[in-house]
Amino acid sequence: MPKMDMIQALNSALDVMMTRDPDVLVFGEDVGYFGGVFRVTDGLQKKHGLKRCFDTPISEGGIIATAIGMGAYGLRPVAEIQFADYILPAFDQLVSEAARLRYRSGGEFWAPITVRSPYGGGIFGGQTHSQSPEAIFAHVTGLKTVIPSNPYDAKGLLIASIEDDDPVIFLEPKRIYNGPFDGHHDRALKTWAESPGSDVPEGHYTVPLGKAAVVREGREATVLAYGTMVHVAKSGIEESGVDAELIDLRSIVPLDIDTIVASVKKTGRCVILHEASRFGGFGGELSALLQERCFYHLKSPIGRVAGWDTPYPHAFEWDYFPGPARLAAALKRVMED
């Protein structure tokens, strides 16, 4: 089985689906001849042609509006927004049109579109290339939101997203495109070659949407994470000395609440970790869901570790980034309560 990094795995997913289904096409800013700013679409235009993989103007609203129209007519477009920070000009199209099309048409039309976008920090992108907007989309009924943490999941989840008949926001943690990142920026970079999740089949397979993965089993606490934070969580758990169970959500909508609840009922403690700002972040929804379902099993208040409530600072990237030390401290707090 070949070893792939996340870029190669995503490229393979797109190639597999474009080969299998002539209704799948890829478009966005610089995705064609250039192969994408992170090279996820490299070689697709050459292999599948200008009509199946093409460049668009810098118009996020136009990109998504075009995708919605294509989807309503039976195609399965995969639109790329070059950075998730720039998806907001397309927000009205996603919320008012894509997410509502099936409902407002009484099931006569729908929007089987996939919107890919790199997100998150850790690359010194500053406030306009580092944001984590996942909670905004999770709030919108009719949209699915998917976030992989390793190459194997990235390919399987992307194929599942493309095959899904509902609109999917597919957020790609750009900090781990080339290798896992444990939050220690002062250590040597790691590649995916020797890491779990880098064994990626060449052909078609899917990872189901709405099914979390138990990355590490534990008895004393539960850590919930997704994307880059899964790897930060591994490091933080080791540094804390707490026997914590780690769950990779994989998708936040749909959410695998059953796996989460089973873990928290077993451990009695929970810490939620995400890179987005804390206030109004998806961690708040997770906390509320667990409070409703696990109240009598909780031994301490649910902890949350997240980005600060400020624009992502370029000069103070690692003060903002919720690293393993902050998670370790949170785990020790829930154990003391």
Side-chain angles (χ1 to χ4, degrees), residues 9 11 68 85 103 110-111 123 129 160 189 206 214 247 257 277 299 315-316 324 337:
N11 181 274
I68 294 168
D85 311 64
Y103 183 86
W110 53 94
I123 64 165
H129 294 80
L189 296 176
T206 61
V214 179
I247 296 179
I257 190 64
S277 298
K299 301 174 185 177
F316 300 100
D337 290 333

Side-chain angles (χ1 to χ4, degrees), residues 54-70:
F54 56 89
D55 297 322
T56 68
I58 303 175
S59 175
E60 288 79 11
I63 292 169
I64 301 305
T66 301
I68 294 168
M70 289 177 171

Side-chain angles (χ1 to χ4, degrees), residues 321-332:
F321 193 90
R326 286 172 58 191
L327 176 64
L331 281 169
K332 291 176 182 177

